[in-house]
Amino acid sequence: MLIGDPVDTFMNLGTFAFIGAMVWVLMRRPSD
Amino acid sequence: MNDSRVLLTASIGLCAVIGIWGVADPASLQAIAKEIVDQYFISRGWFVMLSVTIMLLFCLGLTVTKFGDIRLGADTDRPEYTTPTWIAMLFAAGMGVGLLFWAVAEPLTHYYLASQAIPAPIAAEQALLASNFNWGIHAWAIYGTTALTIAYFSFRRGTPMLVSAPVKNLFPGEMWANAVGWFSDFMAIAAIAIGVGGSVAMGVFQVADGVTVLFGGGATPTYLVWGVFLVMIAAYIPPLLVDLGSGMAKLSNIAMGLAIALVAYTIILGPSEFLLNSVVSGIGMYVAEVIPRGLQTFTFFGDETTQWFRDWTLTYMVWWIAWGPFVGVFVARISKGRTIREFVLGVLIGPTLFSTIWFGAFGGVGLYETLNGQGELLALTQTNVERMTFALLDRLPFATITTIATIAAAFLFIVTSVVSAAFVLGMFSTGGNPDPSAKVRVLWGGLLGILGAAMILSGSMNAVKTLIALGALPFVFITVLLMVCLTKALLQDSRKETEHADR
């Protein structure tokens, strides 16, 4: 089977979420 | 003010818990920390390497754009320190003592592993390349990114000198920004305190070891360890009482002077032509490989190579990232009045050039002995790696003088680390004041001494090292966040300026 380790998958989902958050921080307009 | 007191109590509390756990049951602490660190390296190694490469390209990119002209400070500000003193200070804070002790040991350890799989000459080149990479421009790009962000926000936008300042400044009053900011400061204080406490302990052992070698070798007696510890405390208190210019600047210059003298001595009295060739080809290999190497994760290699990659390159990168807030805040503090271009080129090129010459010379002499001599130094990598620098000096003339010089340089590098750490912790604990009072600095100096003593008592340096790596893991994310904040602020400010000019 080519399915990876679940811990690894979980950790990298976290990494992707972080990358998404960074894009959000960069693109977002200030609230004021 | 109340906020910073809560922060301080929480971070000192965390250090105390870890300290007590470390003294009471170092084995279990180390086992848990190691498991987390290993899993992190396996899963996120790619992200660490990608992030540090992006930081490098980001820093270099700034120098070729108009942003390079921006001055860190008011447009009329000029640098407080001369460029050589500035580079000596950043080098002493950022690397210092480690370089003295890995000078010969690291290239030869890499060589030992590589020579089992590939021919000796190529193994030697690869060994030098790996050492240059681990101590090279990527490390300084990490420091540079952190320092630049803190400096920009502090000197151009008037924020306090804290890791949390950029995100709080960009998103004022937002809950997530406050929470992330608080966590960053909390982790920064804990990581600096544990890291510097650990390096005080390691440094004391190394200096005591050197003194033992000087008097004929054998095991290092306990009274000598504590003697060195007391002398060190006595040595770092006075520089904490005076200002940075007359304390830290002078000590860094002396330490750098000694380090330069040691390299020059090795090149001149050692096999000069071999070493100069080794320096030049080391620089060549490094320049050619620096970017691809930064993205090399050794994923198609066997277990032994990937383990080596995690134990060395990844550990170093995470380690530099962990020192980022400490070195970054300190470097930001001493860089007021420089332009971004001057800053980046100075921080990236100066120290990197020095460490490539350093490894070219010391690694070169080790490899010379391995390829043309008895191979005694290579054998030492497997038995007594911590005494290798002294073993090398012992094989060159005037060994007593150079051993004393090495001990003195090591001593000074540790003192400068503690002085700059106490300074930075002083800033953090006073809400980001760039000039914390002498009383606050001495208080932190004392606390770092106590932490160092606790770590000497626990006697488990490996636990300390794993802990430092564990504390470092969140900073991979925090440092990337800082870079993103700086990008956003630069774009915002340039947009504002264009609007202003149009009007």
Side-chain angles (χ1 to χ4, degrees), chain A residues 5 7-12 14-16 18-19 22 24-31, chain B residues 39-40 42-44 46-47 170-171 174 176 476-478 480-481 484-485 487-488 492:
Chain A
D5 169 34
V7 179
D8 175 59
T9 303
F10 179 74
M11 281 182 82
N12 276 315
T15 318
F16 298 149
F18 172 77
I19 295 171
M22 287 306 102
W24 175 75
V25 165
L26 199 60
M27 305 306 283
R28 214 185 76 158
R29 303 193 137 271
S31 47
Chain B
Q39 181 62 47
Y40 191 97
I42 290 170
S43 295
R44 289 189 179 142
W46 66 274
F47 183 69
L170 281 178
F171 304 101
E174 291 189 27
W176 74 270
V476 176
F477 295 112
I478 295 170
V480 173
L481 175 65
V484 170
C485 286
T487 312
K488 197 176 172 77
Q492 266 180 6

Side-chain angles (χ1 to χ4, degrees), chain B residues 24 28 35 60 101 106 125 134 156 167 185 188 196 231 303 339 344 346 387 390 399 403 453 458 466:
Chain B
S28 79
E35 200 170 315
L60 292 176
F101 285 88
E106 175 157 350
E125 277 184 348
N134 293 344
R156 303 287 300 189
V167 66
D185 284 342
V196 177
V231 175
D303 283 349
T339 63
V344 170
R387 282 192 184 169
F390 299 119
T403 304
S458 86
T466 320

Side-chain angles (χ1 to χ4, degrees), chain B residues 29 49 164 174 279 290 501:
Chain B
L29 180 60
M49 297 312 282
S164 62
E174 291 189 27
V279 169
V290 62

Side-chain angles (χ1 to χ4, degrees), chain B residues 5 115 119 276 301 306 345 385 391 443 449:
Chain B
R5 203 162 297 160
S115 64
L276 291 168
F301 289 73
T306 44
L345 292 177
V385 81
L443 189 71

